[in-house]
Amino acid sequence: MDNMLKFSDIYLATEPYVKSVGQVRMGASGIGWKAAEGEAEALQGLSIPGLILPSGMLALQHDDLRRIQWQRVARGYGLRVYTKSGVLHKLDGFTADDFETLRDGIKRLFHGLTLEVRDISLKGWNWGKTDFEGTNMSFKVENRPMFDLPMGYVSNTNLANKNEVSVEFQPPRGKNLKRKAAGVDELVEIRFYVPGTTTTTNSRGAADANGDNEDEAGSDGGVNPADGEEEVSAAAVFHDTIKERADLGQVSGDSIVQFPEILCLTPRGRYHIDMFSHFMRLRGKTYDYKIPYENIQRLFLVSKPDELHMMFLVGLNPPIRQGQTRYSYLVLQFVRDEEMAIDLNLQADDASKRFEGRLRSHYDEPLYRIVANVFKGVTDKRLIEGGSFQGYHGSQGLKASLKASEGTLYPLDKGFLFAPKPPLYIPHSDVVSVVFSRVDASSSNKMRTFDLKINVHGQQDYQFVSINREEHASLEDYMTQNGIKMLSELNESTSVSYKGMDMDSDSEGNRRGARAAAGAGTAMDIGGDDDEESEDEDFVAGSESDVPEEYDENYESPDDDEE
C-alpha cells in the first residue's frame, strides 16, 4: 500500500463537456480512476474504452500503457495517458506540486516508462506545422504543440480551394452530453491554408517498382516515371491524410451494410452509403461526410407524382455543409421497381445487441424499402410515409412551386412536406391557417392553377403556387378533416369554403356564386391576365437529369466555379 499513489479531485477529461471528478490511484498493476459519490451519473451513456459503468471506474492496465505526458491544461495540470490499443485518456486537476511525486512514482511503478513534459506553445501564432499521432492531430509552433484536433470528431473535410482545406466537426457523443453542452460555444469548423506542392507515389510508379514497365524518358508535368513520383498540391495531400486518419478507430471496424452509388437529389450527386453501429458514412467524389445517428431527426418515404420513383428524406440536425450551404435534409431517389437482396453484417461491433431486433439479417425487397427499413432500425426513428391523402389523379402529392423551386407538396397525416428542393416539413401543430388564392373563375380569366399560403406560428408564411385547380377539392377536404382553419384571401380573419364551385363554368350566375363564397362584393384576381396564364401552362421545368452528377464525366463542383 505504501507504493500506491493517490490523488483526489481529479477530472476525467477523455470526452469533452464531462465534468466528473474522482480519485486517481497508481500501483504496480496500472492506473485507476473512480468517480466520487454522485459523480458517476455524468458518465452514463459514454463509450470510453476501459470505463466500467454504472460504477464509473476507469482501469488502465500496466501492460497497455505506452506513454504518459504532463502538460498545462485549463484545470491546472493534467496527464495524457497513451495506451498501446491507440486510445488517449486525459486526467486533469493536478497541481504543480504533484509533478515530482508523479515523476518519481511512474519511474518506480512502471518499468520502462517516464513522465514526459509536454511544453505548450503560447505564442498565439496562426502558422506552424501539423503532426499526426494515432487519431489526434497536433498543430505545432516552433516544434511545440499549440492545440490538438481529435480526428474521431471530424465529420467532413474538403478542399475549399487550391490551397485551403476545411475540417468540420460533429457534436460530442453520449445521451447526456447534449444537455451538458447546451449554451456553450463549440468549434464546428477550422480551415488550414497549405501552400506549395509535394511529391507522392502514383499507381504507375508502383507498377514501375514491381518491374512491370520498361524505363521511359522523363517528361514535363512533374511526373518522373523512373521513381513513380508525381508532384501534387500539399493541400491535397493534407486533405487525404485527414480523411485517412478520421477513418481510424471507430470507422476502421466492419460496416453493417453498404449501399453503392445511391442517387441523392439534395445535395446533388451519387454517393456510397456505409452504415456502421453509431454513424453512417456518405462518400461522394468531392465530399465525404460522417453523420452520427443521433443527428438524424426525421425519416420520410413518399412516392413521386410520376409513380416511377420513390423519395426517401433524412432530416438532419445539425445539418451537413458544403462550403457556406447547409443541407438539413438528405433527399435520396430510387426507381420503384428496382429490387435487391442484401445480407447485413450484424456481428459488426455487436450490432445485433445494439439494435435490439430492429434489423433483419437478410432483406429481399425493393431497394427503397430496404434503405428505409435499415435507417429506421439504426436510428430508432418513426418512418413517416404518405398518408391517406389522394390527389385528383390518386397521387400522394401535388405538383407545386415554392418561390423559384418546382417540387411536390405532400399533405401527410400530421404535416405538410415539400420536396425535393428545398426540403421543408411543416407540422400541423405549427399551422395557424391556410389561404387559397386565385380560385375565382371568370369569363375573362379561367384559372388553371391556384396558390396556397400556409400561415405558421412565429415564422414566415410559405406560399405554394401553380397548383393544378383540379386538386382544390381534395385539399379542401384534407383541411377540413384535419381541423385546419381556411381563410379568404380578401379578409384572412373570415373563414371561407370553395366547395360546390363550378370552376369550368363561364356563366354570370356562377361568377356571382364564387364572389359570395369569398365573402366579398367583387372578385379579387391576383393571378394576372390570360397571357400570364399561358406562360404558366407552357412552362417546362428542367429535368433532374440536366443537373450534373458527381460521377458524370463532365461534372464540376461549385468550388471549381469559384476558382
Side-chain angles (χ1 to χ4, degrees):
M1 294 296 293
D2 295 336
N3 292 331
M4 183 172 291
L5 302 179
K6 298 180 182 179
F7 301 91
S8 301
D9 299 328
I10 303 300
Y11 291 86
L12 179 63
T14 302
E15 289 281 353
Y17 303 120
V18 177
K19 297 180 180 179
S20 184
V21 68
Q23 184 183 69
V24 169
R25 293 187 179 186
M26 293 186 181
S29 60
I31 301 175
W33 177 90
K34 183 177 181 180
E37 185 177 355
E39 295 288 327
E41 181 183 357
L43 303 173
Q44 306 306 312
L46 298 179
S47 57
I48 299 176
L51 181 63
I52 303 173
L53 296 175
S55 60
M57 293 183 61
L58 175 67
L60 305 178
Q61 300 299 321
H62 178 194
D63 295 338
D64 194 32
L65 300 179
R66 185 166 63 89
R67 295 177 63 187
I68 304 178
Q69 293 180 335
W70 168 273
Q71 74 168 42
R72 186 68 185 265
V73 295
R75 299 187 181 105
Y77 291 85
L79 292 181
R80 295 165 58 93
V81 183
Y82 295 86
T83 65
K84 295 178 181 179
S85 56
V87 181
L88 169 62
H89 292 282
K90 300 178 182 179
L91 300 170
D92 295 351
F94 295 94
T95 65
D97 296 335
D98 295 330
F99 174 74
E100 292 185 0
T101 304
L102 282 167
R103 181 192 60 190
D104 297 339
I106 290 173
K107 185 177 180 179
R108 182 180 71 253
L109 295 172
F110 307 136
H111 178 70
L113 291 179
T114 59
L115 181 60
E116 307 172 16
V117 177
R118 193 168 187 255
D119 195 9
I120 302 297
S121 175
L122 304 177
K123 286 183 175 293
W125 294 0
N126 65 340
W127 65 92
K129 295 183 179 180
T130 57
D131 183 28
F132 290 89
E133 183 176 3
T135 57
N136 282 322
M137 185 193 77
S138 295
F139 185 84
K140 295 184 176 181
V141 175
E142 294 183 338
N143 207 32
R144 296 164 62 190
M146 175 178 283
F147 61 85
D148 298 324
L149 294 180
M151 294 291 100
Y153 288 104
V154 174
S155 61
N156 181 38
T157 176
N158 61 74
L159 284 168
N161 55 50
K162 184 177 180 180
N163 298 112
E164 189 171 314
V165 179
S166 68
V167 181
E168 299 175 15
F169 300 95
Q170 62 191 19
R173 298 175 299 275
K175 63 182 182 181
N176 291 333
L177 291 182
K178 289 185 178 180
R179 174 176 56 84
K180 293 186 175 297
V184 302
D185 294 330
E186 182 178 338
L187 179 67
V188 295
E189 181 184 16
I190 187 170
R191 295 199 173 202
F192 296 93
Y193 177 77
V194 188
T197 60
T198 185
T199 57
T200 183
T201 302
N202 56 23
S203 58
R204 179 178 175 181
D208 290 341
N210 292 329
D212 294 335
N213 291 322
E214 299 294 335
D215 291 340
E216 301 179 22
S219 60
D220 295 335
V223 179
N224 186 347
D227 55 17
E229 290 186 346
E230 180 180 2
E231 189 175 85
V232 297
S233 166
V237 175
F238 181 66
H239 168 252
D240 292 339
T241 304
I242 291 179
K243 288 179 63 175
E244 178 184 353
R245 296 287 179 167
D247 281 347
L248 295 177
Q250 307 160 355
V251 189
S252 61
D254 294 333
S255 63
I256 298 173
V257 66
Q258 297 180 346
F259 300 109
E261 294 192 27
I262 300 298
L263 176 60
C264 191
L265 303 182
T266 304
R268 185 70 181 180
R270 288 191 178 271
Y271 290 86
H272 296 273
I273 301 178
D274 301 328
M275 311 292 290
F276 296 87
S277 290
H278 295 84
F279 61 90
M280 60 172 283
R281 199 75 190 228
L282 202 65
R283 295 185 291 111
K285 184 178 180 181
T286 307
Y287 295 95
D288 189 0
Y289 300 95
K290 183 166 68 175
I291 303 174
Y293 292 140
E294 53 261 33
N295 292 3
I296 297 178
Q297 304 298 317
R298 288 191 174 100
L299 301 174
F300 299 95
L301 181 63
V302 292
S303 174
K304 296 192 72 173
D306 60 10
E307 299 296 331
L308 298 176
H309 297 89
M310 299 292 294
M311 284 192 297
F312 179 58
L313 289 81
V314 181
L316 304 175
N317 185 22
I320 62 175
R321 300 194 301 170
Q322 287 186 3
Q324 298 300 318
T325 306
R326 297 173 179 266
Y327 294 97
S328 298
Y329 283 88
L330 302 178
V331 183
L332 311 180
Q333 178 173 294
F334 302 89
V335 178
R336 179 188 286 269
D337 297 333
E338 182 181 0
E339 296 192 0
M340 185 175 293
I342 292 179
D343 292 318
L344 269 58
N345 179 22
L346 293 181
Q347 301 304 318
D349 300 329
D350 296 326
S352 58
K353 297 180 181 178
R354 171 174 170 79
F355 300 121
E356 300 175 354
R358 298 194 299 267
L359 295 176
R360 304 198 307 265
S361 60
H362 179 76
Y363 290 88
D364 188 359
E365 52 192 352
L367 179 58
Y368 73 85
R369 180 61 64 180
I370 296 176
V371 173
N373 286 336
V374 170
F375 269 82
K376 177 183 177 182
V378 298
T379 61
D380 198 20
K381 298 291 184 181
R382 174 173 172 259
L383 177 62
I384 303 175
E385 302 191 46
S388 58
F389 175 84
Q390 284 191 345
Y392 183 80
H393 298 285
S395 61
Q396 293 180 347
L398 314 173
K399 289 186 177 180
S401 295
L402 179 61
K403 296 183 179 179
S405 300
E406 189 178 66
T408 306
L409 177 64
Y410 295 92
L412 304 177
D413 290 342
K414 294 185 178 181
F416 297 91
L417 175 68
F418 183 79
K421 186 177 180 179
L424 174 67
Y425 179 65
I426 308 173
H428 285 167
S429 57
D430 293 344
V431 177
V432 178
S433 60
V434 298
V435 182
F436 292 98
S437 303
R438 300 200 306 147
V439 292
D440 176 53
S442 64
S443 59
S444 61
N445 187 16
K446 291 185 177 181
M447 294 295 181
R448 296 179 176 86
T449 62
F450 67 93
D451 301 342
L452 173 67
K453 183 170 72 170
I454 300 180
N455 301 319
V456 182
H457 285 287
Q459 301 179 31
Q460 62 173 341
D461 299 334
Y462 296 99
Q463 183 91 6
F464 299 94
V465 301
S466 301
I467 305 174
N468 194 317
R469 65 172 180 162
E470 295 175 336
E471 309 290 358
H472 179 267
S474 301
L475 264 181
E476 190 178 53
D477 291 340
Y478 171 83
M479 303 299 177
T480 303
Q481 294 171 4
N482 289 276
I484 299 176
K485 187 177 182 181
M486 293 179 286
L487 305 179
S488 73
E489 59 182 322
L490 290 180
N491 184 354
E492 295 191 2
S493 64
T494 304
S495 299
V496 63
S497 172
Y498 299 100
K499 278 189 175 181
M501 182 185 300
D502 185 1
M503 305 300 291
D504 293 326
S505 174
D506 294 337
S507 67
E508 183 63 21
N510 284 336
R511 290 199 299 273
R512 287 197 297 269
R515 295 190 185 100
T522 59
M524 180 177 181
D525 180 11
I526 62 173
D529 55 20
D530 290 341
D531 293 336
E532 292 179 347
E533 287 305 313
S534 64
E535 292 176 1
D536 229 5
E537 180 182 17
D538 297 336
F539 172 75
V540 178
S543 171
E544 292 174 351
S545 61
D546 295 338
V547 183
E549 299 175 4
E550 288 197 346
Y551 278 77
D552 287 351
E553 181 179 358
N554 299 320
Y555 171 77
E556 294 183 359
S557 69
D559 295 329
D560 295 333
D561 297 335
E562 295 178 2
E563 293 180 17

